[in-house]
Amino acid sequence: MDQANPFETPRTYSLHRAEYVVGFAVTTGLMIAHFDEIRWLPAIALFLYIDLIGYIPGAIAFRRSGGRPIHKAYYVLYNVMHSLITQAAVAALWCWLVKPEWALLVLPFHLFGDRGLFGNFMKSFALPFEPVRQPGYLRLLDDLGLPHPKPVGHVTEPVPVGHVPVRKPVPAPRADAAAAQEAPAQAAVAGESAARQAEALR
């Protein structure tokens, strides 16, 4: 929403996605206009390699984890491979080492489609690899008076914890708790003893 509150409400999230839908539509139009000029074997390879490296390994690890956190490397792979910066660098290298060509349109086509159509943005270490509604976010929406978003898939999966385990408060040792409970009684006894000694000295 802003630099002091880097989260999104359902409405701003939809507006954010809409920008990428426009980019997806423009890219699709260019691909249709130059359909006969696209080398489709390189195009398919360029389209698939992003998910083969960046998504599929993490998705498999998530499903095998049974809801436990998975390694951060899967998050890094996803974020690197689904970065417009990374794919712009790949396109620049392709133009230099191979040639500029319309097949490179599949790179923005893939990323714009992921973000605009499916709502998939960068992944945070603090959240599950796949989208699962978090109680903390739902409480935030309650505080803002906003409706909850619809659940997102994975209904057969156990409810996963975030990648970063929640830190639970450490309970006080029983000895300390018992001492804290006994302290008022001991203070009262000490007070009564001091009063008796003062009375005896009079």
Side-chain angles (χ1 to χ4, degrees):
M1 290 171 61
D2 55 43
Q3 61 267 41
N5 304 282
F7 54 81
E8 291 191 286
T9 63
R11 179 64 56 84
T12 58
Y13 177 64
S14 297
L15 293 173
H16 195 180
R17 289 177 61 179
E19 296 180 352
Y20 287 98
V21 169
V22 172
F24 178 78
V26 171
T27 307
T28 302
L30 288 172
M31 290 177 66
I32 293 172
H34 298 279
F35 188 88
D36 294 336
E37 302 173 65
I38 295 175
R39 292 195 302 144
W40 285 103
L41 283 179
I44 293 170
L46 287 167
F47 181 87
L48 293 178
Y49 100 101
I50 296 174
D51 281 344
L52 288 174
I53 298 173
Y55 172 68
I56 292 176
I60 293 172
F62 173 83
R63 283 164 176 74
R64 289 180 175 177
S65 70
R68 295 183 300 276
I70 64 175
H71 199 278
K72 289 182 180 180
Y74 296 113
Y75 291 76
V76 174
L77 283 174
Y78 182 93
N79 291 340
V80 169
M81 295 305 298
H82 289 82
S83 166
L84 288 167
I85 298 171
T86 300
Q87 298 311 322
V90 169
L93 283 172
W94 189 281
C95 290
W96 181 36
L97 299 174
V98 183
K99 64 176 182 177
E101 57 180 313
W102 292 110
L104 293 172
L105 283 172
V106 299
L107 298 176
F109 176 82
H110 185 133
L111 299 187
F112 292 161
D114 271 357
R115 296 178 185 182
L117 300 181
F118 303 112
N120 295 324
F121 289 83
M122 297 300 187
K123 296 187 181 294
S124 167
F125 291 149
L127 295 174
F129 187 84
E130 294 285 21
V132 177
R133 296 197 305 177
Q134 298 295 296
Y137 180 67
L138 299 182
R139 288 195 297 271
L140 169 66
L141 294 181
D142 290 338
D143 289 343
L144 296 174
L146 297 173
H148 292 184
K150 296 179 181 179
V152 183
H154 316 299
V155 292
T156 59
E157 297 286 345
V159 177
V161 297
H163 183 87
V164 179
V166 176
R167 294 182 179 179
K168 296 181 179 179
V170 179
R174 292 184 179 178
D176 293 347
Q181 291 177 354
E182 293 175 1
Q186 292 175 351
V189 171
E192 290 177 5
S193 177
R196 287 173 186 164
Q197 290 177 3
E199 187 67 25
L201 292 173
R202 286 179 182 177

